[in-house]
Amino acid sequence: MKYLKYLSLCFITLSFNSCSVYNFTGTGKIDAKTFQVNYFQNNAPLIEPGIERTFTQKLQNLIQNQTNLNLVSSGGDLTYEGEIVDYNISPTTATADQRAAESRLSITVNVRFSNKNKESDSFEKKFNFFYNYPGTEQLVGSKLSEALDEIFDRITQDIFNESLAKW
């Protein structure tokens, strides 16, 4: 009986201690109260209007939704900045008559992350993802929006994981 009480007490203690270091969003303890996401310029050789605004907003929204950090326009404890450096459409497979059976939209974003409270967490890194679609289709309208959503969802989650979740 005494052994069971001791085991239960250890389990409860460990459960409470682990909650203070880890939370349900996957982040560890964040030593910051505010963050800022500077406007990501589109410096890709092939320009698609508006994607820089869409990407910047997606990154802001992801961080706001998965942390309790406050978004500020300047002076944030955490700063995200960078640029879209590549926007590329290329064939991935060809048919027997040399036409694209499948095409790929690939986007690369260069990110500079700085943590004022813990400089060792700061980094500069490129993040890339792609969207494959039938070569007979054009990426316009809702199809382009779908592709950008999928690519930006993945890239912003990768940025979040690298900067805050440490995955």
PDB file of all heavy atoms in Angstrom, residues 73-91:
ATOM      1  N   SER A  73       4.077  45.720 -34.150  1.00  0.00           N
ATOM      2  CA  SER A  73       4.590  46.180 -35.445  1.00  0.00           C
ATOM      3  C   SER A  73       6.087  46.468 -35.410  1.00  0.00           C
ATOM      4  O   SER A  73       6.737  46.499 -36.452  1.00  0.00           O
ATOM      5  CB  SER A  73       3.822  47.412 -35.914  1.00  0.00           C
ATOM      6  OG  SER A  73       3.922  48.439 -34.947  1.00  0.00           O
ATOM      7  N   SER A  74       6.651  46.687 -34.215  1.00  0.00           N
ATOM      8  CA  SER A  74       8.095  46.883 -34.105  1.00  0.00           C
ATOM      9  C   SER A  74       8.540  46.584 -32.680  1.00  0.00           C
ATOM     10  O   SER A  74       7.745  46.622 -31.742  1.00  0.00           O
ATOM     11  CB  SER A  74       8.488  48.314 -34.487  1.00  0.00           C
ATOM     12  OG  SER A  74       7.924  49.229 -33.575  1.00  0.00           O
ATOM     13  N   GLY A  75       9.825  46.259 -32.542  1.00  0.00           N
ATOM     14  CA  GLY A  75      10.382  46.011 -31.216  1.00  0.00           C
ATOM     15  C   GLY A  75       9.976  44.696 -30.582  1.00  0.00           C
ATOM     16  O   GLY A  75      10.036  44.557 -29.364  1.00  0.00           O
ATOM     17  N   GLY A  76       9.585  43.716 -31.373  1.00  0.00           N
ATOM     18  CA  GLY A  76       9.166  42.427 -30.829  1.00  0.00           C
ATOM     19  C   GLY A  76      10.327  41.644 -30.235  1.00  0.00           C
ATOM     20  O   GLY A  76      11.473  41.788 -30.670  1.00  0.00           O
ATOM     21  N   ASP A  77      10.032  40.820 -29.244  1.00  0.00           N
ATOM     22  CA  ASP A  77      11.050  39.938 -28.678  1.00  0.00           C
ATOM     23  C   ASP A  77      11.539  38.956 -29.737  1.00  0.00           C
ATOM     24  O   ASP A  77      12.709  38.600 -29.778  1.00  0.00           O
ATOM     25  CB  ASP A  77      10.491  39.153 -27.484  1.00  0.00           C
ATOM     26  CG  ASP A  77      10.101  40.052 -26.331  1.00  0.00           C
ATOM     27  OD1 ASP A  77      10.743  41.106 -26.134  1.00  0.00           O
ATOM     28  OD2 ASP A  77       9.139  39.706 -25.618  1.00  0.00           O
ATOM     29  N   LEU A  78      10.621  38.496 -30.579  1.00  0.00           N
ATOM     30  CA  LEU A  78      10.935  37.595 -31.689  1.00  0.00           C
ATOM     31  C   LEU A  78      10.644  38.330 -32.987  1.00  0.00           C
ATOM     32  O   LEU A  78       9.591  38.951 -33.125  1.00  0.00           O
ATOM     33  CB  LEU A  78      10.075  36.332 -31.623  1.00  0.00           C
ATOM     34  CG  LEU A  78      10.059  35.567 -30.304  1.00  0.00           C
ATOM     35  CD1 LEU A  78       9.092  34.394 -30.392  1.00  0.00           C
ATOM     36  CD2 LEU A  78      11.447  35.093 -29.934  1.00  0.00           C
ATOM     37  N   THR A  79      11.557  38.251 -33.932  1.00  0.00           N
ATOM     38  CA  THR A  79      11.356  38.935 -35.215  1.00  0.00           C
ATOM     39  C   THR A  79      11.544  37.949 -36.355  1.00  0.00           C
ATOM     40  O   THR A  79      12.534  37.216 -36.393  1.00  0.00           O
ATOM     41  CB  THR A  79      12.358  40.096 -35.381  1.00  0.00           C
ATOM     42  OG1 THR A  79      12.192  41.013 -34.299  1.00  0.00           O
ATOM     43  CG2 THR A  79      12.135  40.827 -36.698  1.00  0.00           C
ATOM     44  N   TYR A  80      10.582  37.957 -37.257  1.00  0.00           N
ATOM     45  CA  TYR A  80      10.636  37.157 -38.482  1.00  0.00           C
ATOM     46  C   TYR A  80      10.713  38.130 -39.646  1.00  0.00           C
ATOM     47  O   TYR A  80       9.880  39.023 -39.778  1.00  0.00           O
ATOM     48  CB  TYR A  80       9.378  36.305 -38.638  1.00  0.00           C
ATOM     49  CG  TYR A  80       9.187  35.268 -37.571  1.00  0.00           C
ATOM     50  CD1 TYR A  80       8.589  35.594 -36.357  1.00  0.00           C
ATOM     51  CD2 TYR A  80       9.600  33.954 -37.753  1.00  0.00           C
ATOM     52  CE1 TYR A  80       8.402  34.638 -35.364  1.00  0.00           C
ATOM     53  CE2 TYR A  80       9.427  32.995 -36.774  1.00  0.00           C
ATOM     54  CZ  TYR A  80       8.827  33.345 -35.585  1.00  0.00           C
ATOM     55  OH  TYR A  80       8.653  32.399 -34.610  1.00  0.00           O
ATOM     56  N   GLU A  81      11.714  37.940 -40.481  1.00  0.00           N
ATOM     57  CA  GLU A  81      11.836  38.771 -41.676  1.00  0.00           C
ATOM     58  C   GLU A  81      12.515  37.960 -42.766  1.00  0.00           C
ATOM     59  O   GLU A  81      13.094  36.915 -42.495  1.00  0.00           O
ATOM     60  CB  GLU A  81      12.632  40.048 -41.383  1.00  0.00           C
ATOM     61  CG  GLU A  81      14.027  39.817 -40.872  1.00  0.00           C
ATOM     62  CD  GLU A  81      14.705  41.102 -40.427  1.00  0.00           C
ATOM     63  OE1 GLU A  81      14.110  42.182 -40.566  1.00  0.00           O
ATOM     64  OE2 GLU A  81      15.842  41.011 -39.956  1.00  0.00           O
ATOM     65  N   GLY A  82      12.415  38.440 -43.974  1.00  0.00           N
ATOM     66  CA  GLY A  82      13.036  37.728 -45.078  1.00  0.00           C
ATOM     67  C   GLY A  82      12.384  38.082 -46.391  1.00  0.00           C
ATOM     68  O   GLY A  82      11.767  39.142 -46.533  1.00  0.00           O
ATOM     69  N   GLU A  83      12.505  37.163 -47.346  1.00  0.00           N
ATOM     70  CA  GLU A  83      11.976  37.418 -48.678  1.00  0.00           C
ATOM     71  C   GLU A  83      11.668  36.094 -49.376  1.00  0.00           C
ATOM     72  O   GLU A  83      12.246  35.066 -49.050  1.00  0.00           O
ATOM     73  CB  GLU A  83      12.965  38.232 -49.527  1.00  0.00           C
ATOM     74  CG  GLU A  83      14.376  37.696 -49.565  1.00  0.00           C
ATOM     75  CD  GLU A  83      15.217  38.074 -48.366  1.00  0.00           C
ATOM     76  OE1 GLU A  83      14.946  39.108 -47.722  1.00  0.00           O
ATOM     77  OE2 GLU A  83      16.120  37.299 -48.032  1.00  0.00           O
ATOM     78  N   ILE A  84      10.746  36.198 -50.316  1.00  0.00           N
ATOM     79  CA  ILE A  84      10.459  35.067 -51.198  1.00  0.00           C
ATOM     80  C   ILE A  84      11.539  35.122 -52.272  1.00  0.00           C
ATOM     81  O   ILE A  84      11.657  36.115 -52.994  1.00  0.00           O
ATOM     82  CB  ILE A  84       9.043  35.174 -51.796  1.00  0.00           C
ATOM     83  CG1 ILE A  84       8.010  35.126 -50.671  1.00  0.00           C
ATOM     84  CG2 ILE A  84       8.803  34.069 -52.821  1.00  0.00           C
ATOM     85  CD1 ILE A  84       6.601  35.482 -51.083  1.00  0.00           C
ATOM     86  N   VAL A  85      12.361  34.076 -52.341  1.00  0.00           N
ATOM     87  CA  VAL A  85      13.514  34.114 -53.241  1.00  0.00           C
ATOM     88  C   VAL A  85      13.322  33.283 -54.504  1.00  0.00           C
ATOM     89  O   VAL A  85      14.073  33.449 -55.466  1.00  0.00           O
ATOM     90  CB  VAL A  85      14.816  33.680 -52.531  1.00  0.00           C
ATOM     91  CG1 VAL A  85      15.188  34.687 -51.448  1.00  0.00           C
ATOM     92  CG2 VAL A  85      14.713  32.290 -51.955  1.00  0.00           C
ATOM     93  N   ASP A  86      12.327  32.398 -54.511  1.00  0.00           N
ATOM     94  CA  ASP A  86      12.102  31.610 -55.724  1.00  0.00           C
ATOM     95  C   ASP A  86      10.629  31.249 -55.851  1.00  0.00           C
ATOM     96  O   ASP A  86       9.984  30.857 -54.875  1.00  0.00           O
ATOM     97  CB  ASP A  86      12.952  30.344 -55.720  1.00  0.00           C
ATOM     98  CG  ASP A  86      12.993  29.674 -57.091  1.00  0.00           C
ATOM     99  OD1 ASP A  86      12.938  30.388 -58.113  1.00  0.00           O
ATOM    100  OD2 ASP A  86      13.069  28.437 -57.137  1.00  0.00           O
ATOM    101  N   TYR A  87      10.113  31.415 -57.041  1.00  0.00           N
ATOM    102  CA  TYR A  87       8.761  31.021 -57.444  1.00  0.00           C
ATOM    103  C   TYR A  87       8.953  30.405 -58.809  1.00  0.00           C
ATOM    104  O   TYR A  87       9.275  31.099 -59.768  1.00  0.00           O
ATOM    105  CB  TYR A  87       7.858  32.261 -57.493  1.00  0.00           C
ATOM    106  CG  TYR A  87       6.434  31.987 -57.918  1.00  0.00           C
ATOM    107  CD1 TYR A  87       5.426  31.880 -56.960  1.00  0.00           C
ATOM    108  CD2 TYR A  87       6.072  31.868 -59.252  1.00  0.00           C
ATOM    109  CE1 TYR A  87       4.114  31.659 -57.317  1.00  0.00           C
ATOM    110  CE2 TYR A  87       4.758  31.637 -59.627  1.00  0.00           C
ATOM    111  CZ  TYR A  87       3.785  31.543 -58.665  1.00  0.00           C
ATOM    112  OH  TYR A  87       2.482  31.320 -59.027  1.00  0.00           O
ATOM    113  N   ASN A  88       8.804  29.080 -58.891  1.00  0.00           N
ATOM    114  CA  ASN A  88       9.203  28.386 -60.107  1.00  0.00           C
ATOM    115  C   ASN A  88       8.153  27.356 -60.511  1.00  0.00           C
ATOM    116  O   ASN A  88       7.691  26.580 -59.676  1.00  0.00           O
ATOM    117  CB  ASN A  88      10.554  27.699 -59.849  1.00  0.00           C
ATOM    118  CG  ASN A  88      11.131  27.072 -61.080  1.00  0.00           C
ATOM    119  OD1 ASN A  88      10.704  27.334 -62.198  1.00  0.00           O
ATOM    120  ND2 ASN A  88      12.119  26.223 -60.879  1.00  0.00           N
ATOM    121  N   ILE A  89       7.812  27.354 -61.774  1.00  0.00           N
ATOM    122  CA  ILE A  89       6.921  26.337 -62.331  1.00  0.00           C
ATOM    123  C   ILE A  89       7.736  25.516 -63.319  1.00  0.00           C
ATOM    124  O   ILE A  89       8.370  26.074 -64.227  1.00  0.00           O
ATOM    125  CB  ILE A  89       5.705  26.964 -63.030  1.00  0.00           C
ATOM    126  CG1 ILE A  89       4.879  27.752 -62.020  1.00  0.00           C
ATOM    127  CG2 ILE A  89       4.865  25.892 -63.704  1.00  0.00           C
ATOM    128  CD1 ILE A  89       3.730  28.535 -62.616  1.00  0.00           C
ATOM    129  N   SER A  90       7.732  24.194 -63.126  1.00  0.00           N
ATOM    130  CA  SER A  90       8.518  23.331 -64.011  1.00  0.00           C
ATOM    131  C   SER A  90       7.801  22.003 -64.215  1.00  0.00           C
ATOM    132  O   SER A  90       7.039  21.562 -63.351  1.00  0.00           O
ATOM    133  CB  SER A  90       9.908  23.091 -63.419  1.00  0.00           C
ATOM    134  OG  SER A  90       9.790  22.472 -62.157  1.00  0.00           O
ATOM    135  N   PRO A  91       8.045  21.359 -65.355  1.00  0.00           N
ATOM    136  CA  PRO A  91       7.458  20.032 -65.573  1.00  0.00           C
ATOM    137  C   PRO A  91       8.175  18.999 -64.703  1.00  0.00           C
ATOM    138  O   PRO A  91       9.379  19.101 -64.479  1.00  0.00           O
ATOM    139  CB  PRO A  91       7.705  19.769 -67.057  1.00  0.00           C
ATOM    140  CG  PRO A  91       8.865  20.630 -67.409  1.00  0.00           C
ATOM    141  CD  PRO A  91       8.814  21.821 -66.499  1.00  0.00           C
TER     142      PRO A  91
END
